[in-house]
Amino acid sequence: MIQKLRNNKKGFTLIELMIVVAIIGILAAIAIPNFLKYQCKSKQSEAKSNLAAIHTAMTSYMAEYNKYTKSFDAIGFKTEGTSLYHYTITAADTGAGTFTAQATGTISGKADEWTMDQARKLVNGTNACK
């Protein structure tokens, strides 16, 4: 009778459960940093797309007025919703035909800085996703 009771026990042993928990921990250790990296890169896309929009607006302004401006109102640029970045424009007062648009922000407590010039050259000065 005792032999019959022992054979009918079903379930997992403690060792089997500990192995499953260890495997889940290893998978999480691999997946979480990759997820955070991709999340950071997705936040950087805001700066890239807004700088491209500023470049397009500045190019249109240059075609119409033959100079660049430092005013977002003049080019009709305004961010929608809550922005992760602060945007500035630096334009040459001498009529040299140059400007630089800059996006600075903080992602996950780290500084992030992007610039784009009149040649549409995008530069990441300080990368928060490294």
Side-chain angles (χ1 to χ4, degrees):
M1 177 125 166
I2 295 175
Q3 189 71 7
K4 197 174 187 182
L5 289 174
R6 287 186 189 163
N7 289 338
N8 288 335
K9 289 185 178 179
K10 295 181 181 177
F12 298 104
T13 65
L14 181 60
I15 298 294
E16 291 171 330
L17 290 174
M18 289 175 60
I19 290 171
V20 169
V21 169
I23 290 171
I24 291 172
I26 291 168
L27 292 174
I30 293 169
I32 290 173
N34 286 334
F35 171 75
L36 294 176
K37 180 180 170 186
Y38 289 118
Q39 185 182 33
C40 183
K41 286 186 176 190
S42 72
K43 290 179 181 179
Q44 285 181 333
S45 67
E46 175 197 327
K48 294 175 187 179
S49 64
N50 281 338
L51 287 174
I54 291 170
H55 179 273
T56 302
M58 289 290 279
T59 303
S60 297
Y61 188 89
M62 175 64 152
E64 189 169 343
Y65 298 103
N66 203 28
K67 64 178 181 176
Y68 290 116
T69 182
K70 296 178 185 178
S71 170
F72 286 117
D73 291 333
I75 62 172
F77 177 79
K78 183 178 179 183
T79 58
E80 296 292 326
T82 304
S83 180
L84 297 172
Y85 291 87
H86 174 70
Y87 299 93
T88 57
I89 301 173
T90 306
D93 291 330
T94 61
T98 60
F99 79 90
T100 303
Q102 183 176 30
T104 55
T106 304
I107 299 176
S108 302
K110 296 179 182 177
D112 198 38
E113 179 183 313
W114 292 85
T115 58
M116 183 178 280
D117 63 7
Q118 72 283 348
R120 203 177 175 99
K121 181 180 175 187
L122 183 66
V123 177
N124 186 211
T126 306
N127 193 343
C129 296
K130 284 187 178 181

